[in-house]
Amino acid sequence: MRQTIVATTFLVGTAMPLQVQAQETDYPFTLTNCGVETTFDVAPDSAVTIGQSATEILYSLGLAPKVVGTSVWFNPVLPEYAEVNEGIERISDNDPSFESVVGKKPGLVAVQYEWHVGESGIVGTREMFRDVGIPTYILPADCDTKDNSTGGDGTRTGAFETDSVYKGIRELAAIFDVQAAGKELVAELQNTESDAVARAEALDLPDDLSAVFWFSSADLEIDPYVAGRLGAPGYMMAKLGIENVIESDEEWPTVGWESISRADPDVIVIAYMDRRRFPADDVEKKIAFLRTDPVASQMTAVREGRIVQMDAHAMSATMRSIYGLETLSDALSEMSFE
């Protein structure tokens, strides 16, 4: 399971510390982020985050003292940042207003989802922030290989890869001139990723192993939001040699339980979260539904008890997706498929 990130990382298979060479950012620093070119004359003196992933990356880079406000939370912050997070204002649990973000006068707004800050951003457009002198940065995991103009959660144009997470970490580290911290964090995450894959490969899992990821449902009586094949859950399944029974390229399509039951996945992964926007956000209600619904209860995964609970935030294309890969790998090691 997820371990606290330490200051010194190690190369896989060695006992030698990885020496991270500090590289200073050469200002003015210009980058193109999700199609928008932005120049920083100096490192931002403060930041507001819209999205838990952006918050946790900044914390992981040692930049918590610069974070003056956070928003859009699914679950509690990573344990090692609980204390520092208590001292930082939470502007909103969900979607903040444009005025509440601008009111903090941040040097940067770091964003997880383009639908919050984008061409049709529900918080505001990038142009709106630019017009008041505030630069924005959207995590590449939500725009690389993804078309957000399709509405909803967008459509993947290519499979999510963790390289987009590492790109976001490196670019934020460069913006704030903490590139050594960025290199250490990426190295730690890469080690976690490779260890999880190696653990699964050692299990000799069935070649035709299949799964479905259930995020939530607007109502338990209607079709659930399940993971398409190209998002973060698709990455996890591909890395571990698991077939996704959902073939859609949408990030979170709705699919009927009758169709899912006909596919009869070997494993069901369900999201747990603190958010309570929908009834099925509650993981206990998900479990109760699977065990009592006349259709869903007949699936092999339910009858055999192969239900995995996973951090909802890991099911989005975030840094936590790597910890989700670790969670799934660990869960598979406890299952029998005979």
Side-chain angles (χ1 to χ4, degrees):
M1 298 300 292
R2 202 268 187 232
Q3 300 294 320
T4 300
I5 295 174
V6 295
T8 303
T9 55
F10 294 87
L11 292 170
V12 177
T14 77
M16 296 297 293
L18 177 65
Q19 299 299 320
V20 178
Q21 299 296 320
Q23 179 181 348
E24 294 183 354
T25 300
D26 185 16
Y27 296 102
F29 174 67
T30 300
L31 80 165
T32 299
N33 167 242
C34 295
V36 175
E37 185 175 283
T38 305
T39 297
F40 297 87
D41 293 325
V42 296
D45 60 355
S46 61
V48 165
T49 56
I50 302 176
Q52 186 170 348
S53 182
T55 305
E56 292 181 338
I57 288 176
L58 292 185
Y59 288 175
S60 299
L61 291 173
L63 295 168
K66 290 198 172 188
V67 179
V68 295
T70 70
S71 58
V72 188
W73 290 85
F74 286 92
N75 277 326
V77 71
L78 292 170
E80 60 267 38
Y81 305 118
E83 184 175 354
V84 70
N85 188 64
E86 283 293 320
I88 297 173
E89 181 182 353
R90 182 173 293 197
I91 298 173
S92 174
D93 287 336
N94 294 305
D95 310 328
S97 68
F98 177 76
E99 293 75 16
S100 67
V101 176
V102 171
K104 302 301 292 183
K105 299 180 179 179
L108 175 72
V109 174
V111 183
Q112 179 174 342
Y113 297 117
E114 196 169 13
W115 69 281
H116 278 125
V117 179
E119 289 188 11
S120 303
I122 63 171
V123 176
T125 65
R126 302 188 81 169
E127 290 77 11
M128 288 169 62
F129 282 103
R130 182 193 61 204
D131 288 346
V132 294
I134 299 174
T136 54
Y137 180 85
I138 300 172
L139 294 181
D142 195 57
C143 58
D144 288 2
T145 69
K146 190 179 178 191
D147 180 5
N148 289 310
S149 68
T150 59
D153 293 306
T155 301
R156 287 281 169 185
T157 58
F160 162 74
E161 295 286 347
T162 50
D163 283 348
S164 64
V165 174
Y166 302 145
K167 175 183 176 182
I169 292 170
R170 293 187 183 104
E171 289 185 340
L172 281 170
I175 290 169
F176 284 94
D177 196 16
V178 290
Q179 296 197 54
K183 289 182 179 180
E184 287 194 14
L185 178 57
V186 168
E188 169 74 16
L189 293 169
Q190 288 174 329
N191 285 348
T192 299
E193 187 175 14
S194 60
D195 287 349
V197 173
R199 188 179 305 113
E201 288 176 344
L203 296 175
D204 192 27
L205 297 169
D207 292 337
D208 59 350
L209 191 65
S210 63
V212 65
F213 278 61
W214 178 17
F215 188 83
S216 190
S217 302
D219 189 286
L220 284 166
E221 302 304 317
I222 63 178
D223 297 347
Y225 294 108
V226 290
R229 65 189 182 94
L230 299 178
Y235 144 79
M236 296 179 209
M237 287 183 269
K239 281 289 186 181
L240 302 182
I242 302 171
E243 177 188 358
N244 186 357
V245 300
I246 307 300
E247 297 183 351
S248 173
D249 290 350
E250 291 182 47
E251 195 89 342
W252 292 103
T254 54
V255 180
W257 284 111
E258 293 82 1
S259 297
I260 297 171
S261 295
R262 282 196 296 271
D264 198 23
D266 298 302
V267 178
I268 299 173
V269 184
I270 59 176
Y272 65 82
M273 66 190 89
D274 283 0
R275 189 193 78 171
R276 290 295 182 268
R277 182 174 294 175
F278 303 129
D281 286 351
D282 187 337
V283 71
E284 295 301 328
K285 290 185 178 179
K286 287 189 181 77
I287 293 172
F289 173 86
L290 290 172
R291 290 175 175 169
T292 59
D293 181 78
V295 174
S297 62
Q298 298 307 303
M299 290 187 288
T300 301
V302 179
R303 290 187 285 105
E304 297 294 329
R306 299 194 204 109
I307 301 173
V308 180
Q309 296 186 34
M310 181 178 290
D311 176 356
H313 204 39
M315 291 190 185
S316 293
T318 66
M319 183 172 70
R320 286 204 187 193
S321 299
I322 296 157
Y323 308 136
L325 179 73
E326 187 178 38
T327 295
L328 183 54
S329 179
D330 287 345
L332 291 172
S333 69
E334 302 294 325
M335 294 178 182
S336 172
F337 296 97
E338 296 180 357

